[in-house]
Amino acid sequence: MKSAIYPGSFDPVTFGHLDVIRRAADIFDELTVSVLNNHLKSPLFSVEERVKILEEATKDIPNVKVDSFSGLLIDYAGKKNVHVAIRGLRAITDFEYELQIAQTNHKLSGGKLDTMFLTTSLEYAYLSSSSVKEIASFNGDISMCVPDFVADLIYKKYGHR
Ligand code: PNS
């Protein structure tokens, strides 16, 4: 069985992430979308909230599981015996950062963890979780960025509607 992990902050999940999730789930038998519990960042949603949101947003894709992890991705992937990490590339600006992480993970894992990049569909290339949060914080329209139930949760966090 071919399995992969799609790690990320997903704070919050956007249509861009969901596009990558759907396409990766078509390629692999099992895809685990895993939320990083990163103590260095102060997220809008807790890890538990992000996991719940992802579960709801992916409930129609049977081979997608949602999980969370702390620490190094290579340790988490090693424990799960998964050898492929999925990452989405929106633009050339993502590439340098992603290449460095992918190469570090490959080296650190002794060649056991490879990264597979999916290029984000053009219609979502402009999307980022940070811009979604910024727009929502000013009560702007984020309906083209995230599913409706996610938009409601984001607006609630900012005290709108
Ligand atoms: O959605 P993000 O914030 O761009 O995701 C970044 C992520 C989660 C892929 C990356 O920060 C990560 O894997 N962190 C876990 C710690 C780790 O393994 N670091 C080594 C790579 S330099």
Side-chain angles (χ1 to χ4, degrees):
M1 189 161 86
K2 289 252 179 257
S3 303
I5 292 170
Y6 179 18
S9 302
F10 305 108
D11 184 43
V13 67
T14 66
F15 283 137
H17 296 128
L18 290 170
D19 171 51
V20 170
I21 291 172
R22 253 171 232 292
R23 286 158 56 208
D26 272 349
I27 299 169
F28 289 88
D29 300 308
E30 187 177 271
L31 178 72
T32 304
V33 181
S34 204
V35 177
L36 173 68
N37 191 353
N38 186 349
H39 301 290
L40 300 176
K41 285 190 182 175
S42 46
L44 182 63
F45 292 100
S46 69
V47 171
E48 294 72 25
E49 288 173 321
R50 282 178 271 162
V51 166
K52 268 199 189 145
I53 291 171
L54 275 163
E55 279 171 348
E56 177 63 27
T58 60
K59 66 180 181 196
D60 62 322
I61 320 172
N63 59 333
V64 169
K65 288 199 300 193
V66 183
D67 194 15
S68 62
F69 75 106
S70 330
L72 291 178
L73 177 63
I74 54 155
D75 293 335
Y76 171 70
K79 273 187 213 128
K80 287 190 152 298
N81 205 21
V82 173
H83 304 285
V84 182
I86 301 292
R87 293 287 288 168
L89 284 179
R90 287 165 302 188
I92 197 79
T93 41
D94 283 341
F95 184 71
E96 212 171 322
Y97 169 71
E98 293 294 342
L99 181 70
Q100 191 193 10
I101 295 184
Q103 288 174 334
T104 305
N105 283 335
H106 191 255
K107 186 79 182 168
L108 272 180
S109 66
K112 288 203 180 101
L113 186 67
D114 262 309
T115 302
M116 201 171 120
F117 293 109
L118 292 180
T119 50
T120 306
S121 300
L122 277 181
E123 59 195 301
Y124 304 125
Y126 68 95
L127 272 180
S128 78
S129 297
S130 336
S131 55
V132 169
K133 284 182 278 194
E134 187 167 355
I135 297 165
S137 72
F138 294 109
N139 206 12
D141 182 7
I142 53 168
S143 59
M144 74 298 272
C145 307
V146 297
D148 287 346
F149 83 95
V150 182
D152 289 344
L153 293 169
I154 301 170
Y155 287 128
K156 227 183 240 172
K157 286 273 180 192
Y158 289 110
H160 300 308
R161 5 210 127 175

